[in-house]
Amino acid sequence: MLENERYKVKRSMNHTHDHEAFMALALEEAKKAGQIGEVPIGAVLVAENGEILSAAYNQTIKLADPTAHAEVLALRQAASKICNYRLLNTTLYVTVEPCIMCMGAIVHARVSTLVFGALDPKWGAAGSLYNFARDDRLNHRVEVLKNVLEDDCRTLMQDFFRAKRI
């Protein structure tokens, strides 16, 4: 987990530069996953005041846990930190579009905004394959901002899988 004081960034939800700064932190988390052979996806959850509540990376292999995606781990850490499963007025930064499991958790946790880098046309549930963020049948809507540092996020994934095939 990131040290909050070291990485505390004041921001407004509408500033592209701030979204990029938090996504850069998520990319650092993703690189940690790649270094241990996990799919390089990272997530950072930020409170509306700019405090980083949690940061995580994929650990499904390490933890032998199919739910140990970066998003789920970040949500768990933050919920534990604030002693509440509802993560109201938060923004989740993720390097790759969340899957259906992660989007379900994001909606259930009442995350306000999801910011992600690269689309995932095979698993994405925030607009690519499914769109849980806008499903009127669910009781919470998540604002979605996509393609933040998209090239960096996509390249990290492509390089990881290219190296696996060698």
Side-chain angles (χ1 to χ4, degrees), residues 4 20 50 61 65 68 75 79 113-114 133 135 142 159 163:
N4 284 340
E20 289 177 355
I61 299 166
D65 179 355
L75 295 175
T113 306
L114 167 68
D135 193 323
V142 179
D159 290 351

Side-chain angles (χ1 to χ4, degrees), residues 96-154:
V96 175
E97 180 182 3
C99 70
I100 56 176
M101 174 186 70
C102 293
M103 274 308 295
I106 290 163
V107 169
H108 187 67
R110 310 298 196 277
V111 170
S112 299
T113 306
L114 167 68
V115 179
F116 69 88
L119 294 166
D120 186 350
K122 292 183 180 180
W123 285 94
S128 288
L129 187 59
Y130 300 102
N131 195 348
F132 284 17
R134 290 283 152 235
D135 193 323
D136 289 336
R137 296 168 295 180
L138 301 174
N139 65 344
H140 178 68
R141 306 292 171 278
V142 179
E143 180 182 342
V144 175
L145 177 60
K146 58 186 176 181
N147 303 327
V148 174
L149 299 184
E150 177 186 13
D151 291 340
D152 295 333
C153 295
R154 188 183 344 62

Side-chain angles (χ1 to χ4, degrees), residues 11-22:
R11 58 145 175 100
S12 162
M13 294 299 290
N14 297 321
H15 289 104
T16 301
H17 176 73
D18 297 328
H19 289 312
E20 289 177 355
F22 285 118

Side-chain angles (χ1 to χ4, degrees), residues 19-127:
H19 289 312
E20 289 177 355
F22 285 118
M23 186 61 74
L25 296 176
L27 274 163
E28 291 304 312
E29 290 296 308
K31 290 173 186 173
K32 292 176 188 176
Q35 290 167 354
I36 62 169
E38 299 274 2
V39 175
I41 298 175
V44 174
L45 186 70
V46 180
E48 71 181 330
N49 69 357
E51 177 188 2
I52 294 174
L53 298 174
S54 61
Y57 55 90
N58 275 6
Q59 297 182 59
T60 57
I61 299 166
K62 178 182 177 184
L63 299 177
D65 179 355
T67 69
H69 289 196
E71 301 94 323
V72 170
L73 295 174
L75 295 175
R76 287 178 184 161
Q77 289 173 16
S80 179
K81 180 177 183 174
I82 68 168
C83 298
N84 193 336
Y85 75 96
R86 288 196 172 165
L87 302 169
L88 304 173
N89 304 313
T90 59
T91 300
L92 182 64
Y93 293 85
V94 185
T95 56
V96 175
E97 180 182 3
C99 70
I100 56 176
M101 174 186 70
C102 293
M103 274 308 295
I106 290 163
V107 169
H108 187 67
R110 310 298 196 277
V111 170
S112 299
T113 306
L114 167 68
V115 179
F116 69 88
L119 294 166
D120 186 350
K122 292 183 180 180
W123 285 94

